[in-house]
Amino acid sequence: MNPKSEEFNKLKERILLLERVVLHTIGFELSVDHPYKFIVDQIKLMIQRRQVEFISPDPKLAPQKLRDMLMNRLVQDAMCFANDSFQTSLCIQYPSFEIAQACVFLGGQFAKASADWTTVLEIGDVENFASICVQLIALVAEKKGGDKAAYQAMRLELERLRRASSKAPSKKSPPRSPQPPAPDAKRPRTG
């Protein structure tokens, strides 16, 4: 398209108008809380409490080595999903803590980890949780291709969680407020 053409100028003006509409819609609130700190804190807590484990652990490895490997793998996979979440509108649709929960869950599924996810992650609103997960799965499956069977298994697990929550007594608890990390806590390297 020629930048000096009339069509280009009309398109440019339309984009500028729509940008203003978006800014007014979000109330010019441009600061976004990132899910990263919640991801690391949640995974550390799960590992310390031994609430998550590999589905098929290597029997030759010491338990501490397995926990370290699991923590590193979960953090790395969950961070990848968190990075991908910024290619969507999730950060303005949901609180960062809920996005972090979904990233930890998907990271756990991708890392072949097992846990009672709704209990461990203290998921308050399963519908929001499932919606975040589905959007991330759709983005990653489309963008990276990858193992379609793994993504289908994640969708099936989400459906199982939905059914289980609909059978439970109708009690929506608000998401818990995360505990801030200790001042001397250091983030593990993920790469």
Side-chain angles (χ1 to χ4, degrees), residues 122-127 164-175:
E122 298 179 21
I123 298 167
D125 188 337
V126 175
E127 287 303 316
S165 75
S166 68
K167 291 178 184 175
S170 179
K171 159 185 123 172
K172 280 189 180 180
S173 60

Side-chain angles (χ1 to χ4, degrees), residues 118-134:
T118 52
T119 303
V120 170
L121 295 175
E122 298 179 21
I123 298 167
D125 188 337
V126 175
E127 287 303 316
N128 281 357
F129 175 77
S131 176
I132 295 167
C133 289
V134 166

Side-chain angles (χ1 to χ4, degrees), residues 33-98:
D33 290 331
H34 297 277
Y36 303 116
K37 64 181 178 178
F38 301 118
I39 289 172
V40 173
D41 293 344
Q42 182 66 51
I43 291 172
K44 279 183 180 178
L45 192 61
M46 289 169 31
I47 296 292
Q48 286 172 352
R49 293 180 179 172
R50 292 185 168 93
Q51 294 174 313
V52 64
E53 59 187 30
F54 278 121
I55 291 173
S56 301
D58 185 349
K60 299 173 190 167
L61 294 175
Q64 183 60 43
K65 179 75 172 166
L66 275 172
R67 281 192 295 277
D68 291 345
M69 283 177 55
L70 179 59
M71 185 165 104
N72 289 336
R73 178 74 192 270
L74 279 174
V75 168
Q76 183 175 6
D77 290 343
M79 291 290 190
C80 286
F81 281 106
N83 290 337
D84 291 336
S85 77
F86 287 111
Q87 296 177 30
T88 69
S89 61
L90 288 172
C91 64
I92 58 174
Q93 290 178 291
Y94 301 101
S96 58
F97 185 73
E98 289 183 8

Side-chain angles (χ1 to χ4, degrees), residues 9-28 30 92:
N9 285 332
K10 285 182 181 179
L11 186 59
K12 180 176 89 173
E13 289 301 317
R14 177 85 174 139
I15 290 171
L16 290 172
L17 173 69
L18 293 175
E19 283 180 347
R20 284 191 294 272
V21 169
V22 168
L23 286 171
H24 282 283
T25 303
I26 63 174
F28 292 88
L30 299 177
I92 58 174

